[in-house]
Amino acid sequence: MNFAVIGSGGREHSICFKLKQSPKIKRLICIPGNAGTREIAENINININNFDEILAVIKKFKIDVVIVGPEEPLVNGIVDFLKNEGIRVLGPDKFSSQLEGSKAFMKNLCKENNIPTARFGIFEDFQSACDFLSKSKTPIVVKADGLAAGKGVSICNSHNEAKIKIKEIIEGKYKSSNKVVLEEFLHGEELSYFVLADDNCYKFFGSAQDHKKVGEGDIGPNTGGMGAYSPSNLITAELELKIKKEIIEPTLKAMKDLGHPYSGFLYAGLMISGGKPYLIEYNIRMGDPECQVLMMRLKSDLVEIADSTTRNNLQKTKIEWSENKSITIVLCAKGYPGKYIKDSEIKNLKDLKIDNDNQVFHAGTYIKDKKILSNGGRVLNITSSAKELIDARKKILTNLDKIKWDDGFYRKDIGWRAIKNENN
Ligand code: AMP
Ligand code: GLY
């Protein structure tokens, strides 16, 4: 079969890696891809929001199934557009994509369906937001309603700080929307829970824990994710049942009742507080860097899974996971998540140990004159699997030591909470 993957991050590289393992894959293209996907797929340099050009390439290469990595084309309706042309796509339609594209949509859906989430208010004017604020405790979470490339959430420790953030959003800092969501701060530990759905059913698609803060010990500003491990050590049979019954199933039912059965990957960002799951956010796609660890652990054939899901045959498809645990550490460009160095050469990648348990997924890289150069904040995902997390992390750190890149940095403590438990 011929597949196209849309996107250019570590997530998309790991999806290509998994598709490429299938005996059923014939042609694999990545739009636009990076220096890593170039090794296993044909990179086609097209803007991911130029649907007409994407369609032309998909027709030219006789693509059977398209997998969309990032949220932006999904929110912009790429699934509706391609399905209209008779093309099979793994991902939700434009309406369902509001689960990530509009926090107001997601929060209202939670409220209407009794899905546990932080108490909240949605506002379009500064004064009403301030009235709500005056009755709220700190810390308080201020969120832009629309897509904000991971930058629209602020945890504010004072009302004054919150007012500044509210004003910015209402005055149009984020082009996607100027509504603001104010939310109670939830204490607890975060868990990324994934399912895959078609029009008829859904299946568990792994659990993971991301590390959003830039600094070791989870300090400093938020990032897109500095590393992840899978499976999450928070998951128990009892918790999983609550996640399914209280969060996933009511959501899927609500989307069906709204006339838009959700299909594709659904990523629930949860806060586990006192043994109870609360929905913090939905993402309508795989997580990055969570996808990288899940693709290492997925035993089943991703070509078959995507093929059957896009035919609404998911029910009959087995999704099996390795017992091994996996970690990915994100190698970033110095300065990230602020202004970072670009076009800096990364050396010695050829010296790394690479096999089925040890992979390097590229995120922000390109190739020029046979050299690997950086062009993003998150640049490489060094990823390993082992029986125990601590061993997976050791293997990653050994590989990282071999990379010669003075302009890079990474967290050595990814998985620290779970590893602490592993040792007890
Ligand atoms: P979001 O984009 O909604 O996932 O928010 C980004 C990050 O902010 C989350 O991964 C959490 O770490 C944090 N966050 C968001 N909402 C809350 C909340 N209500 N309580 C505590 N932390 C939150
Ligand atoms: N790992 C966070 C995200 O993919 O949004």
Side-chain angles (χ1 to χ4, degrees):
M1 292 183 74
N2 297 336
F3 268 66
V5 175
I6 295 182
S8 61
R11 169 181 48 211
E12 289 75 22
H13 187 184
S14 68
I15 291 172
C16 287
F17 155 79
K18 199 64 211 168
L19 291 171
K20 194 74 186 176
Q21 286 181 347
S22 169
K24 294 192 174 152
I25 195 85
K26 213 165 105 200
R27 179 157 227 164
L28 179 59
I29 66 170
C30 193
I31 303 173
N34 59 37
T37 60
R38 192 174 179 269
E39 300 290 315
I40 50 176
E42 293 164 73
N43 282 353
I44 313 274
N45 194 13
I46 300 177
N47 182 317
I48 58 170
N49 286 307
N50 189 336
F51 298 171
D52 286 319
E53 275 193 38
I54 290 176
L55 175 66
V57 164
I58 283 166
K59 285 189 171 159
K60 180 176 157 200
F61 288 93
K62 299 192 168 55
I63 297 298
D64 298 294
V65 179
V66 181
I67 300 182
V68 186
E71 63 278 12
E72 207 189 339
L74 292 167
V75 169
N76 290 341
I78 193 166
V79 170
D80 311 58
F81 177 84
L82 292 177
K83 276 193 176 165
N84 235 342
E85 299 287 337
I87 289 157
R88 289 194 284 138
V89 199
L90 190 67
D93 67 9
K94 187 172 183 169
F95 183 88
S96 306
S97 296
Q98 290 180 91
L99 282 174
E100 178 169 358
S102 166
K103 296 209 188 279
F105 176 88
M106 182 282 264
K107 294 297 281 189
N108 283 328
L109 185 119
C110 286
K111 196 168 163 184
E112 283 153 18
N113 295 281
N114 287 321
I115 295 168
T117 188
R119 282 188 293 126
F120 69 100
I122 301 167
F123 306 97
E124 287 180 65
D125 73 283
F126 185 67
Q127 199 46 52
S128 331
C130 289
D131 291 345
F132 180 93
L133 187 64
S134 65
K135 290 177 230 136
S136 306
K137 286 194 220 133
T138 54
I140 178 128
V141 189
V142 181
K143 297 186 175 183
D145 168 49
L147 287 189
K151 296 189 173 70
V153 175
S154 308
I155 295 164
C156 299
N157 289 312
S158 73
H159 283 178
N160 265 348
E161 195 187 336
K163 279 184 189 165
I164 294 167
K165 296 292 175 189
I166 293 169
K167 202 156 185 278
E168 280 178 1
I169 295 168
I170 283 177
E171 286 179 352
K173 178 170 179 182
Y174 303 100
K175 287 186 195 80
S176 49
S177 167
N178 48 11
K179 279 188 210 156
V180 64
V181 179
L182 297 184
E183 216 176 89
E184 160 201 24
F185 179 83
L186 295 173
H187 294 270
E189 230 187 293
E190 282 181 62
L191 160 64
S192 304
Y193 189 87
F194 299 87
V195 299
L196 177 62
D198 69 5
D199 288 359
N200 306 316
C201 77
Y202 80 94
K203 290 202 169 166
F204 171 65
F205 207 77
S207 72
Q209 196 171 51
D210 191 5
H211 296 63
K212 289 242 167 73
K213 304 279 187 193
V214 74
E216 287 178 9
D218 293 327
I219 54 165
N222 259 340
T223 67
M226 297 295 293
Y229 75 88
S230 171
S232 163
N233 71 328
L234 299 177
I235 285 278
T236 59
E238 191 190 353
L239 179 65
E240 188 159 14
L241 193 67
K242 284 185 192 160
I243 295 170
K244 287 179 168 168
K245 296 291 165 205
E246 295 174 16
I247 296 177
I248 303 293
E249 288 172 19
T251 302
L252 296 178
K253 180 174 184 310
M255 297 309 296
K256 203 169 246 176
D257 291 347
L258 287 165
H260 291 266
Y262 188 93
S263 81
F265 295 113
L266 181 62
Y267 157 178
L270 306 170
M271 186 69 85
I272 312 302
S273 190
K276 259 189 75 81
Y278 294 86
L279 181 69
I280 297 183
E281 63 166 350
Y282 268 132
N283 294 311
I284 52 167
R285 52 175 171 80
M286 285 305 292
D288 188 340
E290 292 97 325
C291 187
Q292 290 82 314
V293 280
L294 293 175
M295 290 303 116
M296 295 292 279
R297 295 189 52 243
L298 180 63
K299 283 210 301 207
S300 311
D301 183 329
L302 186 60
V303 167
E304 272 175 27
I305 294 172
D307 181 34
S308 66
T309 307
T310 52
R311 292 180 194 277
N312 284 320
N313 260 336
L314 176 61
Q315 186 70 58
K316 295 197 190 101
T317 311
K318 268 209 179 117
I319 302 179
E320 289 180 319
W321 300 93
S322 158
E323 291 293 315
N324 275 352
K325 297 169 183 174
S326 182
I327 297 194
T328 188
I329 297 182
V330 182
L331 179 58
C332 299
K334 277 185 186 160
Y336 177 77
K339 202 171 152 25
Y340 53 79
I341 292 159
K342 273 190 188 169
D343 307 310
S344 164
E345 189 185 349
I346 305 157
K347 291 185 185 155
N348 281 10
L349 286 179
K350 292 237 166 357
D351 294 347
L352 271 57
K353 181 177 159 80
I354 303 291
D355 54 31
N356 272 347
D357 284 334
N358 302 282
Q359 284 292 319
V360 173
F361 297 122
H362 288 237
T365 61
Y366 65 101
I367 198 156
K368 195 178 170 191
D369 304 330
K370 296 193 174 153
K371 292 178 180 163
I372 304 278
L373 301 166
S374 70
N375 68 350
R378 297 194 291 169
V379 177
L380 291 171
N381 309 141
I382 319 300
T383 313
S384 291
S385 295
K387 234 171 134 59
E388 301 296 340
L389 284 174
I390 192 155
D391 297 321
R393 195 169 70 185
K394 273 187 202 146
K395 294 203 284 181
I396 297 171
L397 294 174
T398 306
N399 259 345
L400 270 161
D401 266 349
K402 293 184 190 150
I403 299 177
K404 266 185 80 176
W405 191 35
D406 290 342
D407 291 331
F409 77 99
Y410 57 89
R411 278 181 62 169
K412 291 192 191 71
D413 70 336
I414 299 303
W416 64 276
R417 284 196 181 85
I419 287 173
K420 205 166 67 187
N421 291 342
E422 236 174 30
N423 290 336
N424 284 334

